[in-house]
């Protein structure tokens, strides 16, 4: 679950358009700024990550005994 | 009346046809309440507040969906997007991440809820820590946070009354009518009725969002055409976010999603799922729902700048209805689109309000009155729950008609308060030796820290920042909360070792 938590936090952080801070505003896709397309796409990637994690980790998360 | 500028005309701007559509919808709500009453298997708290723990995949998905997306999704986000542009797309990750956080606790909590017959989150906290103060404080915090949310939804009900009934009804009369209908179907069938009404409400919400999005884009000539027109009026929306805005983005995504994932009404639905498999599949679909709801409404709000530039904060709250009005004006034959959308907004508001009411009533009954009266009589407790529902609703209606607050600000306080429950719940599930003392200390410190900055920010007009260093006070509070839990637990473990050695010796 620790790896899931790290991946979850990392992908949420990456939905913010950090990489466009230095790129500028000129690049467009279908008339929209690229950073907007990036943020929506990153959100979709995050959703896919969560959906797959539910499939793979649900049983382990449900039966996991406490760790110290 | 904040966001419905087009609706402040005399008479009903919605027309007789619209009133009939809304009346049919409201009649169906009462019919669902009756159906829920007849489907009741026993007169118990578990049956009333959790629908007999028998919600299947589709009903669970729709009730989770209709509960998570309130009127604010359709109205508030669009208004904010109109003013702030594409940066409101942060609502996508925060709606998704709420589902992401569930995986940290839902599988285990659902299993334990079956074993321990839990009704509320407080039941788990009490069984895990056996500390009445901690349980009561967490339950109280949830009730206060939900009370805020209820008031915003009641205010939204009043505002929708102006759309549907114009001068025929005052906002207060509109609130009272909708509240009475909620109380009828909720007291008749409890969560079972609420979940069934949520199916209709969720479908309406989904259809409403899709319709207004499609209508708007077709009116503006597709994505590229709309983007070009928008660029002409708001070129500033094309500028990339600054570093501080990106920090704020991540802060919002984390704190709001954490708060969303700890909604007491959402936790009730985890308990109410028929099986772990049903819950898992519902959540796997739920994580994609922002793409067909939030994303569409943010787009509508941003595009509203094309036909209605220069609206102030108050007027821009009504941008969804203005855009819809444009479509109806250019396509008179498609007036039903407006009817369906308005019904969808009312559905979204009602579905959230009824779930909040049920969550508050269950928490008050189970976490406060049951231990106070020391009774296990299920009939009496269920009746008490219904009486509390009615009392809570009356108080919230009075507050909703008196308290002026912006929807967005209240939502921030709500989620930041709810998020303080995270260490008690998540750490409690995953760390067996965690004790009540550090959890209580962390919860109190995080909540007080959040309240000082949030309330201070409102009272001092931001002289005390609500977001120190561009990060929400609630997120700082959660970090402080987790830190105290960890430190306190380490100290307690260290102090307990010598005792163990002595006792063993």
């Amino acid at each position: 679950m620790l790896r899931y938590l790290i991946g979850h936090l990392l992908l949420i952080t990456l939905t913010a358009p950090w990489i466009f801070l230095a790129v500028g505003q000129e690049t467009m896709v279908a008339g929209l700024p690229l950073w907007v397309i990036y943020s929506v796409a990153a959100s979709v990637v995050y959703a896919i990550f969560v959906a797959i994690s539910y499939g793979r980790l649900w049983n382990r998360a449900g039966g996991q005994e406490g760790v110290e | 009346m904040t966001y419905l500028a087009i609706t402040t005309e005399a008479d009903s701007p919605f027309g007789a046809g619209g009133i009939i559509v809304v009346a049919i919808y409201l009649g169906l709500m009462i019919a669902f309440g009756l159906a829920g009453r007849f489907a009741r298997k026993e007169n118990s708290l578990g049956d009333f507040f959790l629908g007999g723990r028998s919600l299947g995949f589709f009903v669970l998905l729709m009730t989770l969906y209709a509960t998570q997306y309130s009127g604010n999704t359709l109205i508030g986000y669009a208004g904010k997007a109109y003013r702030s542009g594409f940066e409101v797309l942060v609502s996508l990750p925060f709606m998704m991440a709420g589902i992401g956080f569930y995986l940290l606790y839902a599988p285990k909590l659902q299993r334990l809820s079956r074993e321990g017959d839990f009704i509320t989150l407080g039941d788990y906290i009490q069984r895990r820590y056996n500390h009445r103060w901690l349980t009561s404080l967490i339950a109280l915090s949830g009730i206060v946070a939900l009370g805020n949310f209820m008031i915003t939804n009641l205010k939204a009900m009043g505002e929708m009354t102006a759309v549907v009934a114009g001068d025929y009804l005052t906002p207060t009369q509109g609130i009272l009518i909708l509240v009475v209908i909620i109380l009828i179907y909720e007291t008749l069938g409890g969560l079972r009725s609420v979940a069934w009404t949520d199916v209709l409400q969720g479908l309406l919400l989904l259809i409403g969002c899709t319709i207004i999005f499609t209508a708007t884009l077709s009116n503006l000539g597709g994505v590229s055409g709309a983007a070009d027109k928008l660029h002409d009026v708001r070129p500033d929306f094309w500028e990339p976010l600054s570093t501080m805005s990106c920090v704020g983005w991540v802060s919002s995504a984390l704190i709001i999603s954490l708060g969303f994932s700890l909604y007491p009404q959402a936790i009730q639905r985890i308990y109410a799922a028929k099986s772990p498999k049903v819950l898992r599949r519902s959540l796997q679909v739920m994580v994609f729902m922002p793409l067909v709801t939030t994303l569409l409404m943010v787009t509508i709000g941003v595009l509203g700048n094309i036909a209605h530039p220069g609206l102030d904060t108050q007027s821009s709250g009504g941008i969804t209805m203005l855009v819809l009005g444009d479509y109806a004006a250019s396509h008179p034959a498609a007036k039903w689109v407006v009817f369906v959308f308005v019904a969808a907004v009312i559905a979204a508001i009602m579905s959230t309000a009824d779930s909040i009411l049920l969550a508050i009533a269950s928490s008050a009954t189970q976490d406060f009155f049951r231990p106070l009266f020391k009774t296990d009589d299920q009939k009496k407790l269920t009746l008490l729950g219904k009486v509390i529902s009615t009392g809570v609703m009356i108080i919230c209606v009075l507050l909703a008609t008196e308290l002026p607050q912006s929807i967005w600000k209240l939502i921030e306080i709500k989620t930041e308060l709810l998020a303080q429950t995270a260490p008690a719940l998540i750490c409690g599930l995953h760390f067996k030796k965690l004790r009540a003392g550090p959890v209580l200390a962390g919860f109190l410190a995080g909540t007080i820290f959040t309240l000082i900055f949030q309330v201070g920010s409102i009272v001092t007009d931001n002289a005390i920042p609500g977001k120190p260093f561009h990060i929400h006070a609630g997120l700082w509070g959660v970090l402080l909360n987790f830190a105290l839990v960890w430190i306190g637990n380490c100290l307690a473990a260290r102090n307990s070792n010598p005792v163990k050695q002595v006792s063993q010796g």
Side-chain angles (χ1 to χ4, degrees), chain A residues 18-31:
Chain A
W18 301 97
I19 57 172
F20 294 89
L21 291 171
V23 172
Q25 65 183 71
E26 297 306 321
T27 315
M28 290 202 225
V29 176

Side-chain angles (χ1 to χ4, degrees), chain B residues 194-250:
Chain B
V194 167
W196 289 354
T197 59
D198 282 348
V199 172
L200 178 63
Q201 290 162 343
L203 288 173
L204 268 177
L205 182 59
L206 204 53
I207 293 167
C209 286
T210 311
I211 283 175
I212 188 173
F213 178 76
T214 312
T216 305
L217 270 191
S218 74
N219 242 14
L220 294 170
V223 176
S224 296
D228 289 344
K229 287 171 188 158
L230 181 62
H231 189 262
D232 291 341
V233 286
R234 292 301 298 262
D236 52 312
F237 284 177
W238 264 248
E239 289 170 14
L241 301 187
S242 66
T243 306
M244 286 303 113
S245 296
C246 286
V247 170
W249 174 297
V250 176

Side-chain angles (χ1 to χ4, degrees), chain B residues 356-400:
Chain B
I356 295 169
L357 183 64
L358 207 60
I360 292 176
S362 62
S363 183
T365 308
Q366 183 77 349
D367 301 330
F368 290 103
F369 288 102
R370 189 173 186 169
L372 193 69
F373 294 154
K374 294 187 172 62
T375 178
D376 282 327
D377 187 325
Q378 296 290 304
K379 281 186 185 172
K380 277 187 188 167
L381 287 169
T382 307
L383 179 64
L384 181 65
K386 293 177 182 180
V387 172
I388 290 172
S389 287
T390 310
V392 166
M393 197 55 122
I394 291 170
I395 294 169
C396 287
V397 168
L398 289 173
L399 290 174

Side-chain angles (χ1 to χ4, degrees), chain B residues 51-72:
Chain B
R53 302 176 200 271
S54 61
L55 301 189
F57 167 71
F58 186 65
V59 175
L60 184 64
L61 173 64
M62 282 293 119
T63 190
L64 281 166
Y65 174 61
T67 302
Q68 187 173 14
Y69 294 87
S70 64
N72 189 53

